[in-house]
Amino acid sequence: MNVESKLRRRSFLKALGLAAPSLAGAPGFAASEREKTSLRTSPPKELAADVVIIGGGLGGCAAALAAARNGLRVILTEETDWIGGQLTSQAVPPDENPWIETFGATRSFLDLRRRIRDYYLRNYPLTAEARARPNLNPGNGNVSRLCHEPRVALAVLEDLFAPLIAGQQVLRLLRHQAVDAVVNADRVEAVRVRSQESERELVLRAPLFIDATELGDLLPLTKTEYVTGAESQKETGEPHAPSEAAPRNMQAFTCCFAMDYLAGEDHTIQRPDAYTFWRDFVPPLKPAWPGRLFSWEYSDPVTLKPKTVGTDPENGTGLWVYRRIADRSQFVPRTYRGDISLVNWPQNDYLLGNLCEVPSAEAAQHLARAKQLSLSWFYWMQTEAPRPDGSTGWKGLRLRPDIVDTEDGLAKYPYIRESRRIRAEFTVLEQHISTDYRLKETGGRREDVQAASFNDSVGIGSYRIDLHPTTGGQNYIDISSVPFQIPLGSLIPQRVENLLPACKNLGVTHISNGCYRLHPVEWNIGEAAGTLAAFCIQKKTVPRAVRGSAGQLKSLQNLLSGQGVPLNWPKVTPR
């Protein structure tokens, strides 16, 4: 080990010693105002690693695991107290492609899915019939082949990180948020993070930084060029882009929640303060929404025509099974008192504002109103929702705060569909992935249609271009896409040399983001970023130079392939 490596390692080990929380930040020991003031005014301590990853969602976890697997020392921060992002703290069962049981994702993501199933087999009292199923779906939800409780995914991720944390290869800082950055010319030198419990601040230094936050928080802090909302058709040429750019026009976010149903019982919650507003709210969308938001009728995402899909928790039909995460029939009697359904439905998408590119007070107001929306929707189902038998309301619906580990019963963090996106060396457009557009190249032969081929591919993904209604008044855009690649150019900012995206903040557009934002794709983006970071550290180079060198690009792709990251799709039929 050379002198430079010894010094870096000594700095990292010293940082690990400083990372232990004080009693002021520990459970049961609230920091006094005097202690907090002292922490705010005293010079922040500095920690160093090979790579600093801000954001512990799926992309951040994948990036950290890949970087550690390739020998890097990692600092990983997370705003909540749960890693895993949309799979855990946002409480969204995985949205995946139809081939996911055998291929269509990285080896490590498929292993994550296998471990989730194994967790149920080891720890849950399954029936013999359920235990015999090779592809167990714990909730039998129809949105995914693996609908499961958020806490199970958390436990599996914790197991993956346990040896890395114990071996001091990964330092994890939960409940920490990035608040500032030090930038010198085209390089990020440090990021300052603040504990949300003690208000202690730390300065994190590394040769490479990865932004895996849900909203692309590092981009404005590091002055990295980025775009938000919808680009204009003049800029991108996309058939579904608007004629004028609309930076504030972003997909709705959602405060998800879990519920079960206990027939004959009354679990009606207190009437939410904003209930009347949300009960009578008509989404201001074009094309028009069919009527009030609180209804079983909504816009069909594909045709935009009125569509009615109710729910019946007593008989397990309709929206009840859409994201059901526990089907009690698969477990021995009395394991669950009722099925558990996760509510991420059209009726609790929040349309009245964004969480980024607005003042913090406004963002907080939007989050509070979104929570009122979800609680009001739940209360409406308990009290006013039309039932198949002609009566109204299911009083037996019960919020399950224990499932999401919160007091109010809502997920720890809102489900984010769209964030800031880097202005990248290469931006993926609708034209690269849209089935209809790509068919033009085949003369209409659907069996031959393929997405654009990228020689700098660092992964793959597949999902429909699925855009939910937006804060700018746009109804659904839901169109077929072709299984696609993730080009390395979409991970490289146009100017900044040592910052990589690992979430929804890569070089995509408002339209193409609609299929690059799902669970296995985000994981692949993060895994590619973490592997690229390790490659750059080992080769003493920067991401831009790797893409610009045919030899280095091939070496990186060989490294990714060797570690189970597919770079190309076999011939499959588009969704």
Side-chain angles (χ1 to χ4, degrees), residues 57-58 82-96 109 112-113 116 146 148-154 157 214 415 519 522-523:
L58 279 179
W82 279 14
I83 58 173
Q86 53 184 321
L87 202 59
T88 59
S89 61
Q90 297 174 40
V92 181
D95 291 296
E96 301 169 314
F109 186 83
L112 176 70
R113 300 178 83 258
I116 288 171
L146 189 61
H148 60 275
E149 295 183 42
R151 198 184 297 275
V152 173
L154 175 67
L157 288 169
E214 299 296 329
Y415 176 38
H519 301 62
E522 181 183 328
W523 182 275

Side-chain angles (χ1 to χ4, degrees), residues 23 261 409 417:
L23 287 180
Y261 178 70
R417 296 183 176 88

Side-chain angles (χ1 to χ4, degrees), residues 151-281:
R151 198 184 297 275
V152 173
L154 175 67
V156 170
L157 288 169
E158 291 285 5
D159 284 350
L160 290 171
F161 275 99
L164 300 174
I165 293 171
Q168 298 185 325
Q169 194 171 358
V170 173
L171 168 62
R172 196 175 63 186
L173 301 171
L174 299 179
R175 299 277 293 153
H176 280 71
Q177 188 172 14
V179 294
D180 199 5
V182 178
V183 180
N184 184 8
D186 297 333
R187 295 187 64 84
V188 182
E189 292 190 348
V191 172
R192 180 161 56 90
V193 298
R194 179 181 298 144
S195 166
Q196 297 185 44
E197 295 177 358
S198 68
E199 297 190 14
R200 171 191 64 175
E201 292 190 348
L202 299 169
V203 172
L204 310 179
R205 294 186 180 275
L208 277 163
F209 293 83
I210 294 177
D211 182 352
T213 61
E214 299 296 329
L215 293 168
D217 294 339
L218 280 193
L219 303 185
L221 294 179
T222 59
K223 299 179 176 59
T224 301
E225 291 77 10
Y226 64 90
V227 64
T228 62
E231 297 91 342
S232 70
Q233 193 172 80
K234 181 179 179 181
E235 179 182 356
T236 67
E238 294 172 305
H240 285 86
S243 57
E244 300 293 333
R248 296 292 184 91
N249 184 33
M250 304 179 197
Q251 289 189 73
F253 68 89
T254 305
C255 292
C256 304
F257 60 90
M259 62 181 182
D260 59 8
Y261 178 70
L262 306 178
E265 298 186 9
D266 187 348
H267 294 278
T268 307
I269 63 171
Q270 182 178 345
R271 180 184 172 109
D273 293 339
Y275 178 69
T276 301
F277 174 85
W278 287 116
R279 182 196 60 195
D280 300 334
F281 178 72

Side-chain angles (χ1 to χ4, degrees), residues 36-54:
K36 288 184 177 181
T37 300
S38 175
L39 287 166
R40 283 195 300 264
T41 57
S42 59
K45 296 174 181 177
E46 294 196 2
L47 312 181
D50 294 316
V51 62
V52 167
I53 302 170
I54 305 296

Side-chain angles (χ1 to χ4, degrees), residues 354-374:
N354 304 313
L355 295 179
C356 67
E357 300 302 289
V358 297
S360 58
E362 182 179 337
Q365 182 183 46
H366 287 311
L367 180 57
R369 296 184 77 181
K371 290 183 175 183
Q372 279 285 300
L373 165 60
S374 287

